[in-house]
Amino acid sequence: MPIIEIKKSGLYEFAKRLMDILFASMLIIIFSPVMLVVSIAIKLDSEGPVFADTPERVGRNGKLFKMYKFRSMIENAHVILRQNPKFTKLYDRYKKSSYKLKDDPRITKVGHFIRKHSLDEVPQLFNILRGEMSLVGPRAYYPDELREQQKKYPQTKEAVCIVLSIKPGLTGYWQVSGRSEINFDKRIEMDATYVRKRSIIYDLWIILKTPWAMISGQGAL
């Protein structure tokens, strides 16, 4: 699909990348004990790897990349949901509810806790250092999610083209404004609004709101 680019100054792009590297490096150091504890808890709680084996996500300009996340579900959860006949109804509900599920039976005990407080997202700091993501940006969507949701909400096609013009973020406007409680049509429009309005000051405002969203678990599934 064609990308609609909202131009920003070279100074902004340089400052944003510098901020990404500095913040990500600092947060990796701060969260290293938490990452160790979460890794041990995941291994003790259920069989499977520490990191989630999820499908690739859509990044800047539609380029696919592997997003790092702690595993919060049973092993091969995404494959099981899409291919196991027992989960056909659940998969239909998953697609109808903007690719989010309440009371998802695939989530582990530890998974419930780390998802509520967004701890499963912490490994994405390494995606930021690799240049695949930014600290602040739109959600990193699955390819099939974008295809199916645009069929359901055809009015969102322009917003999707705008959103894919920049790197997805670890946090973002909709994540600190209700998160999973927001359906795809409103979520993608909020992402597109961020792309249009983005600035260093706006990014810092979102970053400052993020800790409360993590602590409160508002809207998390």
Side-chain angles (χ1 to χ4, degrees), residues 48 67 76 94 136 176 195 215:
M67 190 174 80
N76 297 320
Y94 176 69
V136 181
V176 299
V195 177
I215 294 168

Side-chain angles (χ1 to χ4, degrees), residues 3 14 20 24 56 60 63 67 72-73 84 89 107 109 126-127 134 138 151 172 181 194 197 210:
I3 303 299
F14 173 79
D20 282 345
E56 290 182 310
R60 186 176 189 175
K63 184 179 179 180
M67 190 174 80
S72 61
M73 296 184 176
N84 192 323
K89 291 184 179 179
I107 300 176
K109 292 178 181 178
F126 294 100
N127 287 115
S134 183
K151 290 177 184 177
E181 295 171 351
Y194 166 77
K197 292 174 59 178
T210 299

Side-chain angles (χ1 to χ4, degrees), residues 44-55:
L44 292 175
D45 181 52
S46 60
E47 294 183 0
V50 168
F51 295 103
D53 185 18
T54 56

